[in-house]
Amino acid sequence: MATKTATICAGQQQNGTGDCVAFYNGLSTKNYTGQAYGNGGTPATAANFNDAKNRSVLYWSSHGRKTNTTNYEVLGNNWFSVGVQMANWTTSNPIEVAFFASCYAFYRDYYKRGFAGIMKRTNLFVVCGYSGQAPAGTSTDTNIVNSFFSFTNSGDGVVYAWKKGNNDVGTYPWGAISYGTISANMNFKMPGWGTNTGIDRTQSIWYINQSGASVISPLTISASYSDAESLPAVVFVKEAKIEDRMQNPRNISRSIQYKVTTREHMSEVLGLVEKTAEKADLGRSTLKENSILLYQPLYISELTEEAVGEEQLVGADLIYQHEYKGVPVEGNFVRLCADSDGIYDVMDHWKDFSIEKEEQADRKNCKLDPFQAISEIDAVDKSLIQETTLCYVEVSPNCLHLCHKVYLDDGRGYIIDVNDGTIR
């Protein structure tokens, strides 16, 4: 029987160890014991990572990179290859579930195939991570962990709770590698959250994932940092009372284990989106008027050590992302999760508001150029900047600040306040 033991590792990262603390707190409700590395200020090491094989659950949080074409690497006290450290793990080790709160764990087919091979010769059953940039922001990863545990506590298995934990916070490119696709496998739980009766390790290994969301009904989206000069840097709002609340999501939710099991192949993406919107009783006159409509498909593909199988579309999420002057408002959205049968889950974080006052940035202290903003935080070459966008972040109740969201090619991500360069 699997034991309630865990290893929590904090490698090098710019947004603190709050997610590691949150993961520890989530496990403590089930009386887990184990080992934590890196929370004292000294980053966890490759040896610490290797030690994780001696416990049932691993949570690793750090930068990750995609430069090595055959081996996924994360940043402890130094960069090291995950596959090299796991090379000597066997079925005699109790490790069953691994989480990588780091960029690019599933970026390359080699990485995914490598994890599949490791699972075949160990007790690992589920590996969770990201195919692209992991969440940016000082508290985003912590919020994802807290959301993940709220869903595991409600009865969801690891794969679905990982999906919902990420979906509940944003549109991050989450992924999970798991034995599939029978119901017991897809609903596999960590020790302490269920007995896992009926799981079958002779089944194929599957990669389940959602890449970043794409815009299907755009307004004028301010994607260029040059727009920061013309946009209000501070917006004071008054939250509107919503009388026509959407129906309780729990009344219409169904477990994703049934969706992944059926594996419907849906080629008509537009038809799915139209059906989703048609069946949704949105009940909000302002929802469609003040949102950017995003689409985030859900795919699965079979994994072996030799190949990654063809992607199969098994579902998709439609996201109404609140915007102001064409700029997304972080954390303010409604997400509708759908498959060929219609909606099976709703995540409602929509907040209506009216504008009370706007202020422009103080020219002496503002950071209108994202490169200027990030160069004062971290010495980086401009060529490392992979993506910059703008967003509004609620920094205090009813007060929105314009921010740069900056991603670097080496996996680092920042949300930087245009007003004064503060990391949000």
Side-chain angles (χ1 to χ4, degrees):
M1 180 177 177
T3 59
K4 292 187 286 186
T5 56
T7 308
I8 301 175
C9 295
Q12 291 192 46
Q13 53 192 329
Q14 85 278 350
N15 53 353
T17 59
D19 61 321
C20 294
V21 175
F23 202 87
Y24 170 86
N25 290 337
L27 294 175
S28 66
T29 64
K30 299 295 183 180
N31 299 314
Y32 266 66
T33 60
Q35 181 67 53
Y37 296 107
N39 285 338
T42 301
T45 66
N48 298 153
F49 178 91
N50 187 44
D51 181 52
K53 67 178 182 290
N54 296 311
R55 298 168 197 91
S56 297
V57 178
L58 162 65
Y59 184 83
W60 175 275
S61 179
S62 77
H63 294 304
R65 67 182 181 185
K66 59 185 178 181
T67 51
N68 191 317
T69 57
T70 57
N71 286 292
Y72 176 54
E73 295 178 326
V74 294
L75 184 59
N77 61 335
N78 293 293
W79 288 101
F80 67 87
S81 165
V82 167
V84 170
Q85 294 303 316
M86 301 172 86
N88 294 319
W89 294 14
T90 68
T91 52
S92 64
N93 303 126
I95 182 73
E96 286 191 329
V97 184
F99 297 87
F100 289 92
S102 49
C103 299
Y104 304 125
F106 306 136
Y107 180 80
R108 299 184 185 278
D109 284 352
Y110 270 111
Y111 301 170
K112 290 176 281 193
R113 288 162 47 192
F115 281 121
I118 291 166
M119 289 169 65
K120 283 293 187 182
R121 56 178 173 75
T122 68
N123 284 318
L124 262 178
F125 202 93
V126 182
V127 180
C128 297
Y130 297 92
S131 60
Q133 297 278 1
T138 56
S139 60
T140 308
D141 49 3
T142 300
N143 293 338
I144 289 172
V145 169
N146 288 333
S147 186
F148 167 82
F149 276 105
S150 74
F151 293 119
T152 59
N153 291 337
S154 297
D156 289 320
V158 172
V159 173
Y160 193 30
W162 185 242
K163 175 191 186 295
K164 292 177 74 172
N166 279 276
N167 290 168
D168 200 42
V169 177
T171 56
Y172 303 102
W174 71 272
I177 298 175
S178 174
Y179 283 93
T181 55
I182 61 172
S183 176
N185 283 1
M186 297 312 303
N187 203 37
F188 182 87
K189 295 177 171 64
M190 294 187 297
W193 276 272
T195 59
N196 291 319
T197 301
I199 64 170
D200 184 357
R201 293 178 184 268
T202 68
Q203 297 289 311
S204 299
I205 294 175
W206 291 82
Y207 173 52
I208 306 105
N209 76 102
Q210 284 183 299
S211 57
S214 57
V215 178
I216 61 172
S217 182
L219 299 175
T220 304
I221 300 173
S222 297
S224 170
Y225 73 83
S226 61
D227 293 320
E229 188 171 355
S230 61
L231 289 164
V234 180
V235 181
F236 294 95
V237 303
K238 181 179 180 181
E239 188 172 342
K241 185 177 181 181
I242 301 176
E243 299 291 351
D244 49 347
R245 297 295 296 179
M246 296 175 70
Q247 60 180 306
N248 189 332
R250 294 199 179 279
N251 292 338
I252 62 172
S253 296
R254 292 182 282 112
S255 174
I256 201 172
Q257 62 180 301
Y258 302 113
K259 300 302 99 191
V260 176
T261 301
T262 53
R263 301 205 303 277
E264 304 97 334
H265 185 78
M266 297 173 294
S267 58
E268 296 298 326
V269 171
L270 185 57
L272 170 66
V273 172
E274 290 175 343
K275 181 166 64 173
T276 302
E278 182 181 318
K279 286 191 175 183
D281 180 17
L282 299 177
R284 307 272 181 80
S285 59
T286 61
L287 189 65
K288 294 182 180 179
E289 296 171 2
N290 299 324
S291 64
I292 300 166
L293 190 57
L294 304 173
Y295 169 77
Q296 193 172 19
L298 176 66
Y299 292 103
I300 63 169
S301 51
E302 189 172 0
L303 295 181
T304 66
E305 291 186 68
E306 293 74 34
V308 176
E310 179 184 0
E311 281 189 331
Q312 300 181 48
L313 181 63
V314 295
D317 296 355
L318 197 66
I319 305 115
Y320 291 86
Q321 172 65 58
H322 206 312
E323 59 81 30
Y324 181 63
K325 293 185 181 293
V327 177
V329 180
E330 287 286 295
N332 194 331
F333 62 89
V334 171
R335 177 185 288 266
L336 309 175
C337 306
D339 58 18
S340 61
D341 296 323
I343 298 170
Y344 63 84
D345 212 350
V346 174
M347 294 179 178
D348 183 7
H349 296 293
W350 186 268
K351 290 192 294 184
D352 272 335
F353 55 74
S354 58
I355 306 303
E356 297 279 282
K357 186 175 65 171
E358 296 179 348
E359 294 180 358
Q360 297 300 120
D362 179 355
R363 294 288 177 160
K364 291 183 179 180
N365 299 313
C366 68
K367 313 296 178 186
L368 296 176
D369 185 331
F371 178 68
Q372 175 199 1
I374 199 170
S375 63
E376 295 181 10
I377 297 169
D378 207 342
V380 299
D381 187 274
K382 197 167 187 176
S383 63
L384 278 178
I385 296 180
Q386 180 172 298
E387 180 185 5
T388 65
T389 59
L390 292 169
C391 62
Y392 279 107
V393 175
E394 189 171 19
V395 299
S396 61
N398 299 325
C399 180
L400 308 178
H401 279 204
L402 184 65
C403 296
H404 297 291
K405 186 178 284 189
V406 184
Y407 287 108
L408 305 182
D409 190 58
D410 63 3
R412 286 172 288 174
Y414 300 85
I415 295 177
I416 307 172
D417 199 317
V418 165
N419 291 276
D420 56 11
T422 300
I423 299 178
R424 296 295 181 185

